[in-house]
Amino acid sequence: MTVPSTAAASVAHAAASARDRTLLAAVVDIAAEAGRALEARYSTAARPAGREDMFRSGTADSRVSLDILRPALTALRPAARWLTDEYETAELPPGEWWVVDEVEGNVNHVHGLPEWAVTVALVRDGQTVLAVVRQPVGDLTYTALRGAGARLNGTALKVSAKTGLDAAIVVTGQAEADQEGTYRRIGQSITAMLDSALLVRAAVPSTFPMLLVAAGHNDVFWQYEPVLPGVAAGALLITEAGGVVTRIDGTPWAPGADTVLATPPALHAAAVQVLATIS
């Protein structure tokens, strides 16, 4: 008996979903292993004396984590490519890509601060399909699978139910470099949001305020010139928690976009309107 094409597509989708669920569980284990290795190097007493100390410690942290992540993730998906610098702010070619930050918030790790994590996202044909963020301090594991929701330690996440910016906690991230007036736009956007929102914050790295949007603690996050490893996992977590992720002008977001805006549905239009005043 020949299976009708629509039924065949449904069966294929279900099979792919099952494979991705199995893949997600494996990635959680790998990220946790890398997190344990970084936790062994972490000290709340760390106080680097300057950039040289920070660079030395940060480089060692990255090496320890990548030595676990790269071979293990490659074994899971041998055909998947690894994101390189040239694609961090550009459209990704078709296929699967591992988008990894082996020590997200490394600057915090080397200063003895708790906001650091291992982040892993899998981008497939321009869409993030899987995300894991493992934050050892606090024993927090954030997971998301496209079409299957977002969770923190197994509990479903949901974005804020707020409907007005006047009650909103809004956060922006610091760009890594000043590109065509990026720093000026960041400053202007903060000023604009101060006139509209309850509380305005700036945070580094991007992942943590995005996690808080997914969990409903923060309400809005935006950033100019983001790098993909900083926002890929957070973007999927937010959309799977019921939020909206676009570019700052409200047009669709995709990996490599030069801006990102994440909000609950009810706040999106207002946030776009405020940020539209920035040139």
Side-chain angles (χ1 to χ4, degrees):
M1 176 180 175
T2 302
V3 179
S5 58
T6 54
S10 177
V11 169
H13 175 75
S17 178
R19 288 195 296 270
D20 283 347
R21 288 177 187 275
T22 300
L23 181 63
L24 179 67
V27 173
V28 166
D29 289 342
I30 293 165
E33 182 182 354
R36 286 191 293 272
L38 289 169
E39 194 169 22
R41 296 179 47 80
Y42 173 68
S43 170
T44 57
R47 299 293 188 276
R51 284 180 176 266
E52 185 176 338
D53 284 351
M54 293 165 59
F55 180 79
R56 182 171 56 251
S57 296
T59 299
D61 291 341
S62 293
R63 184 172 58 250
V64 165
S65 185
L66 269 180
D67 282 349
I68 294 168
L69 293 169
R70 186 147 197 158
L73 293 175
T74 298
L76 287 179
R77 306 295 274 193
R81 286 172 282 183
W82 277 70
L83 189 75
T84 55
D85 291 347
E86 65 179 311
Y87 287 120
E88 285 191 343
T89 57
E91 182 179 350
L92 290 179
E96 288 190 338
W97 293 79
W98 287 118
V99 179
V100 173
D101 195 320
E102 67 276 11
V103 200
E104 174 72 324
N106 206 347
V107 67
N108 292 330
H109 187 283
V110 303
H111 282 87
L113 296 168
E115 287 188 327
W116 56 272
V118 176
T119 72
V120 180
L122 182 67
V123 176
R124 180 180 298 146
D125 295 329
Q127 287 193 325
T128 310
V129 296
L130 173 155
V132 174
V133 179
R134 173 59 185 169
Q135 187 177 353
V137 179
D139 190 22
L140 306 175
T141 302
Y142 295 83
T143 59
L145 198 63
R146 179 169 291 278
R151 291 173 173 76
L152 169 57
N153 292 352
T155 299
L157 294 174
K158 187 174 182 180
V159 296
S160 165
K162 290 178 184 173
T163 59
L165 277 180
D166 60 345
I169 298 174
V170 305
V171 188
T172 189
Q174 179 178 323
E176 292 192 0
D178 188 13
Q179 301 178 31
E180 300 181 1
T182 301
Y183 291 166
R184 173 184 53 77
R185 290 197 298 275
I186 293 170
Q188 290 178 340
S189 69
I190 290 173
T191 300
M193 280 293 186
L194 284 167
D195 287 332
S196 301
L198 175 68
L199 183 63
V200 182
R201 294 172 174 162
V204 176
S206 307
T207 293
F208 294 97
M210 296 186 82
L211 295 176
L212 294 176
V213 171
H217 297 297
N218 287 346
D219 304 295
V220 175
F221 175 80
W222 77 98
Q223 187 173 359
Y224 297 94
E225 304 296 342
V227 293
L228 188 56
V231 297
L236 183 62
L237 281 154
I238 290 166
T239 56
E240 288 299 319
V244 178
V245 177
T246 65
R247 297 174 73 251
I248 281 176
D249 63 4
T251 58
W253 180 88
D258 61 351
T259 66
V260 64
L261 171 65
T263 76
L267 296 180
H268 184 255
V272 170
Q273 184 176 4
V274 171
L275 295 172
T277 64
I278 311 304
S279 59

